[in-house]
Amino acid sequence: MLIFLGVENFAKIEHAKICINSYTLFVGPNNSGKTYLMQLIQGVNERLTELVDEEILKILKHGENQNSNARSYIISQDNILQFVEYLNTKLDEKKEEIVREIFGRNVPIKKLYIEILLDMGEVYEVIQLNKKDKMGKKDSIDSLINKKRLLKYLDAIPNNILMKYSLKQVDGEVISLFASSAENKRQLLALHSILRRHSLFLPASRTGLMLLYRDFFANRVDEIMLYQVKSEEEIVPKSNQSNLTQPAYQFLRFLQTYSENQSRMKKYKTEIDFFEEKLIEGHIDTNNHTGFSYDSNTDHVSVPMYMASSMVNEIAPFVLALTSKDVYDGFIIDEIEASLHPKKQLELVRFLNRLNNKGIKLILSTHSDTFASKVNNLYILSNYVKEHKKDDMIQKLGLEKEDLVSPEQLFVYEFINLPNGKSVVKEIAGDSQTGFQFDLFTESTMHLYQEALEIGELLQDD
């Protein structure tokens, strides 16, 4: 399933349609709307499940399940258009409210919509189960759901299970299991898990935010206390004094409340080891009292983050988000390459590809032709390996299989500023042999090349 978010006349963007649950890269000039769109995506991610209410069950109701007397609800090619149309009706009603909540002010938006594409044969089914009903393939369930928890549910109240079917999985794959005393709530919770996107927006200028987040919250507490003391004098605090958008505030809050999740540390150990060896050449330590610190592999001296390099501060939040107690399934990262040397940018692309291969959804923006070119190279290589089944090419280039991407899962979009002050967003189609054509970077490169020729001619004539 691929989910796309579309806008028309949003802020300065005339139109855009972006894949929001795969691997997406934004390129484009400054002041073209990339940051605005990324924050909108973050906000919509949090609100998609709010669009699914009891009325939608009427569209998805499938009658009696073949294996039991329980009713089931199905999302398939037969009703996906009705399902999306209903969601978009609700989204259209709430678009101004959603935008105002995200940005803390009114931002123009004419149209906000989603599109959902199912793979051929892809079907989602919510099955209502009673204690007497059989769950289906027990091994499949045990592999995805804690066994004790599952048995507890089965012995308790009626529950619902969400199954995903495809052409390759006739028996289905267990996605989630829900139990509740309210019948409709069980079904809605199961449907919510199809659309739920728990992402984290990581804004640009992460170095400053890493250094100042504690002071920010200390000042916020001071403001609240001051208001409480002077409330009898009817002194009203200014609204939204920080002028932060909701996604930016959430990032600061994430830093403030960060705590390690040991199971995530184990799950992503290989990726974390790569990050520490190839990127920061050290380790990020966390302490609830003293905050974050950096331990270099060179001298093994631990220093507070404000003494670490801007490169470390810029990318440290990536691994913190990966290991947080708040489990995120996707990252939306603005200006991904900030403060990184070109060689580090090459390693960063490999790290991000590895995260995506482990199931982390990514939406990234970049101004770097180095970063974009590395993405391009690995895209071409991935196509070649997939088509010709020649893994030896990977080792010859000093890479590993984990560095590749799924070509069909990578989406690239270019933001283009128009003469009227607006911008448009177009998808760049990838070619299996030449990759993506980045017009913006090509123009800059050609300009520099032409300039170098002219300077050379001037020096020769002098």
Side-chain angles (χ1 to χ4, degrees), residues 273-290:
D273 289 345
F274 181 94
F275 179 87
E276 293 182 344
E277 177 186 352
K278 301 290 187 180
L279 284 164
I280 65 171
E281 301 176 27
H283 176 72
I284 304 297
D285 288 315
T286 61
N287 185 296
N288 291 336
H289 299 291
T290 61

Side-chain angles (χ1 to χ4, degrees), residues 247-309:
Y249 175 83
Q250 289 169 340
F251 174 71
L252 287 171
R253 189 64 180 161
F254 155 75
L255 295 176
Q256 178 74 9
T257 61
Y258 173 82
S259 179
E260 280 187 1
N261 183 324
Q262 290 301 317
S263 63
R264 299 275 286 183
M265 294 284 288
K266 293 178 181 178
K267 179 177 180 179
Y268 296 104
K269 184 181 184 307
T270 303
E271 290 71 33
I272 295 170
D273 289 345
F274 181 94
F275 179 87
E276 293 182 344
E277 177 186 352
K278 301 290 187 180
L279 284 164
I280 65 171
E281 301 176 27
H283 176 72
I284 304 297
D285 288 315
T286 61
N287 185 296
N288 291 336
H289 299 291
T290 61
F292 305 116
S293 59
Y294 170 69
D295 184 1
S296 170
N297 287 342
T298 304
D299 51 24
H300 299 288
V301 175
S302 182
V303 298
M305 288 299 287
Y306 65 81
M307 294 182 64
S309 70

Side-chain angles (χ1 to χ4, degrees), residues 357-373:
N357 289 330
K358 291 288 284 284
I360 299 295
K361 309 302 181 184
L362 297 169
I363 298 177
L364 316 171
S365 77
T366 184
H367 293 117
S368 169
D369 57 346
T370 299
F371 184 92
S373 296

Side-chain angles (χ1 to χ4, degrees), residues 50 56 61 77-78 106 147 175 182 189 194 198 200 218 221 228 235 255 258-259 262-263 266 282 313 331:
E50 298 174 8
I56 211 165
K61 186 175 180 181
Q77 296 289 357
D78 294 333
N106 292 323
K147 186 174 181 180
I175 302 298
L189 286 172
I194 298 175
H198 190 39
L200 178 67
V221 171
Q228 290 175 343
I235 296 178
L255 295 176
Y258 173 82
S259 179
Q262 290 301 317
S263 63
K266 293 178 181 178
N313 277 279
F331 304 147

Side-chain angles (χ1 to χ4, degrees), residues 81-105:
L81 292 180
Q82 291 175 281
F83 179 61
V84 172
E85 182 181 5
Y86 181 86
L87 296 179
N88 280 330
T89 299
K90 304 283 286 186
L91 201 55
D92 185 65
E93 293 173 356
K94 297 183 176 182
K95 61 180 183 293
E96 287 88 0
E97 176 187 339
I98 291 172
V99 169
R100 189 164 53 250
E101 289 177 353
I102 294 170
F103 296 96
R105 60 187 180 88

Side-chain angles (χ1 to χ4, degrees), residues 293-355:
S293 59
Y294 170 69
D295 184 1
S296 170
N297 287 342
T298 304
D299 51 24
H300 299 288
V301 175
S302 182
V303 298
M305 288 299 287
Y306 65 81
M307 294 182 64
S309 70
S310 59
M311 182 272 288
V312 172
N313 277 279
E314 285 290 338
I315 64 176
F318 303 168
V319 78
L320 295 175
L322 191 65
T323 59
S324 169
K325 66 177 181 180
D326 294 321
V327 177
Y328 301 101
D329 55 26
F331 304 147
I332 303 173
I333 310 176
D334 200 6
E335 297 187 14
I336 184 73
E337 79 291 344
S339 295
L340 266 70
H341 186 278
K343 287 185 178 180
K344 291 296 184 182
Q345 293 181 35
L346 305 182
E347 301 296 354
L348 180 60
V349 174
R350 296 176 64 194
F351 172 70
L352 294 167
N353 286 358
R354 291 170 180 233
L355 292 190

Side-chain angles (χ1 to χ4, degrees), residues 421-440:
K422 296 286 188 177
S423 65
V424 295
V425 183
K426 71 171 185 177
E427 182 177 356
I428 305 177
D431 182 273
S432 61
Q433 295 186 346
T434 60
F436 302 94
Q437 180 64 41
F438 299 102
D439 291 341
L440 178 68

Side-chain angles (χ1 to χ4, degrees), residues 63-72 127-130 132-134:
E64 305 299 326
N65 181 262
Q66 295 178 354
N67 301 321
S68 73
N69 294 323
R71 287 170 296 177
S72 69
I127 305 171
Q128 178 185 329
L129 294 168
N130 296 311
K132 63 182 180 180
D133 294 319
K134 294 183 178 180

